[in-house]
Amino acid sequence: MLIEKKVTGFLDELASSAPAPGGGSVAALAGALGAALTAMVAHLTIGKKKYAEVEPIMQDIRAKAEALRHDATALIDKDTIAFNAVMTAFAMPKESDEQKQKRASAIESATQDATRIPLDVMKLCATAISLTHTVVTRGNTNALSDGGVGGLMLQAACRGAYYNVMINLGGLKDAHFIAAIKSEAEAVMKTVDDTAHKISQHVGMQFGV
């Protein structure tokens, strides 16, 4: 499993000629990193007398961010597994008309499944970045840059997952599925971009940049 590799091992495999892991797994990893940084800022706020008023909020955010980190981590491998399933479908025999029909059906089904994974990453990022916004604006100011980086990671993760959704939609035939997924992905991406902008503005104002 990818998540059990050392960082150097993961990077070596990523940089190889193998088509997976690729951008989808990296997007999920970025989401996990963003959630982890959000949990970190909450951790660094809890127990500080100066932030006693927001401690219950930070306790809640810490728990939610940790859960999101674990979910995002699982999606790193799920993305690669889904991609491999698509490749397996493309490798099916296509000599007879029956084989061609089965192959086409398998490709469509596997590609739809592979599209849902990055969409899950996007939705996870939307949930996580709202927590990031709270820790950035109400949490320990000594960890402001960490929260800012968390927001950037979640935005990048969502954008990367969005690219993977869109490229997969290009290979599908089910018009209803395409329209529904595209609409949802665009809405989620806008939400994340808007929140990321708010985070960036707040961080920039604090640093005078």
Side-chain angles (χ1 to χ4, degrees):
M1 294 178 67
L2 294 172
I3 60 174
E4 294 176 354
K5 290 181 177 291
K6 292 182 178 180
V7 172
T8 52
F10 179 84
L11 293 175
D12 286 343
E13 190 165 346
L14 188 64
S16 74
S17 60
S25 290
V26 169
L29 174 58
L33 292 170
L37 281 168
T38 301
M40 171 191 171
V41 179
H43 268 289
L44 293 173
T45 305
I46 294 166
K48 301 292 190 297
K49 189 179 296 186
K50 179 180 177 180
Y51 300 100
E53 184 180 330
V54 296
E55 178 148 338
I57 295 172
M58 294 299 154
Q59 292 276 12
D60 182 58
I61 288 177
R62 178 180 64 179
K64 289 178 178 177
E66 286 283 38
L68 290 166
R69 174 172 69 91
H70 288 295
D71 290 344
T73 301
L75 287 165
I76 296 170
D77 274 301
K78 286 182 179 180
D79 185 86
T80 295
I81 291 168
F83 175 82
N84 289 336
V86 173
M87 293 299 97
T88 298
F90 270 102
M92 290 174 65
K94 50 181 178 178
E95 301 302 320
S96 67
D97 288 342
E98 183 181 359
Q99 287 178 337
K100 289 177 181 178
Q101 185 175 0
K102 285 183 178 180
R103 178 177 177 271
S105 178
I107 290 171
E108 181 78 9
S109 178
T111 304
Q112 286 191 12
D113 289 342
T115 305
R116 293 186 183 98
I117 300 298
L119 182 60
D120 285 344
V121 173
M122 292 185 70
K123 290 188 284 189
L124 183 151
C125 290
T127 301
I129 203 167
S130 67
L131 303 178
T132 312
H133 182 257
T134 301
V135 299
V136 164
T137 55
R138 304 189 68 183
N140 192 331
T141 55
N142 291 326
L144 181 62
S145 61
D146 301 297
V149 173
L152 291 172
M153 293 303 295
L154 289 166
Q155 184 182 28
C158 191
R159 178 65 61 178
Y162 177 69
Y163 289 160
N164 278 271
V165 167
M166 297 307 291
I167 196 170
N168 285 330
L169 290 181
L172 291 171
K173 301 186 183 303
D174 186 333
H176 177 74
F177 180 89
I178 293 169
I181 296 296
K182 183 179 180 182
S183 176
E184 185 173 10
E186 288 174 346
V188 173
M189 191 69 249
K190 184 181 186 308
T191 296
V192 170
D193 279 340
D194 288 348
T195 307
H197 180 65
K198 291 176 184 177
I199 292 171
S200 180
Q201 277 191 320
H202 179 81
V203 174
M205 284 176 61
Q206 301 307 309
F207 292 152
V209 295

